[in-house]
Amino acid sequence: MSGLAPVPDAEHESVPIGSNDDVVRARQLVRALAQQCKLSLVDQTKLVTAASELARNTLVYGGGGVMRVGLVRRDGWVGVTAVFEDSGPGIPDVDQALTDGWTSGGGLGLGLSGARRLVDDFTLQTEVGGGTQVAVTKWAR
């Protein structure tokens, strides 16, 4: 990938994702920021679930990578944005990868498509042989 998408706020934290413990740390940090920006309990759970799926994908399919997360502001709204990036093999067929029930491994096939449904903003950039980057945002209501 040509570089990380910016987290729109100057304040962000990075978490390397290279182990199951890192996936747990990523999830804990996302939850803390979701509480800080006063997401509802339901929206906190949605965002943490999406982040957990994406962190796990970064580890399992991307061979590890990084999560950058921070609070964001736009048009009077506040939210949490998390960007996951790896330098793995990339996704050859994005449409297929975003289809419910499709899996390239032994999972349920709800990782990417489920994460997309759980957040307000979802972007995916991938290049075969060049890695994958997924950015998600959940806005406080």
Side-chain angles (χ1 to χ4, degrees), residues 15-77:
V15 175
I17 300 175
S19 70
N20 288 326
D21 288 342
D22 295 333
V23 172
V24 172
R25 273 190 284 282
R27 191 168 49 232
Q28 290 169 338
L29 180 55
V30 168
R31 180 173 302 283
L33 288 171
Q35 291 169 339
Q36 183 179 334
C37 83
K38 304 205 184 321
L39 287 176
S40 71
L41 184 56
V42 169
D43 283 346
Q44 287 177 37
T45 302
K46 287 178 178 181
L47 179 61
V48 169
T49 301
S52 183
E53 288 294 324
L54 295 170
R56 172 100 20 233
N57 281 0
T58 300
L59 178 63
V60 172
Y61 300 111
V66 65
M67 175 192 77
R68 292 184 315 122
V69 62
L71 297 180
V72 291
R73 290 167 183 79
R74 182 175 70 197
D75 300 328
W77 293 79

Side-chain angles (χ1 to χ4, degrees), residues 80-139:
V80 178
T81 292
V83 180
F84 299 84
E85 182 171 1
D86 65 63
S87 298
I91 302 170
D93 187 337
V94 172
D95 290 335
Q96 186 179 42
L98 288 169
T99 300
D100 285 345
W102 185 84
T103 179
S104 63
L108 297 175
L110 295 175
L112 285 176
S113 63
R116 181 173 62 175
R117 279 194 312 276
L118 292 170
V119 298
D120 298 317
D121 299 327
F122 178 97
T123 59
L124 184 147
Q125 296 177 335
T126 188
E127 180 182 326
V128 174
T132 299
Q133 181 184 88
V134 180
V136 295
T137 303
K138 192 73 175 166
W139 298 100

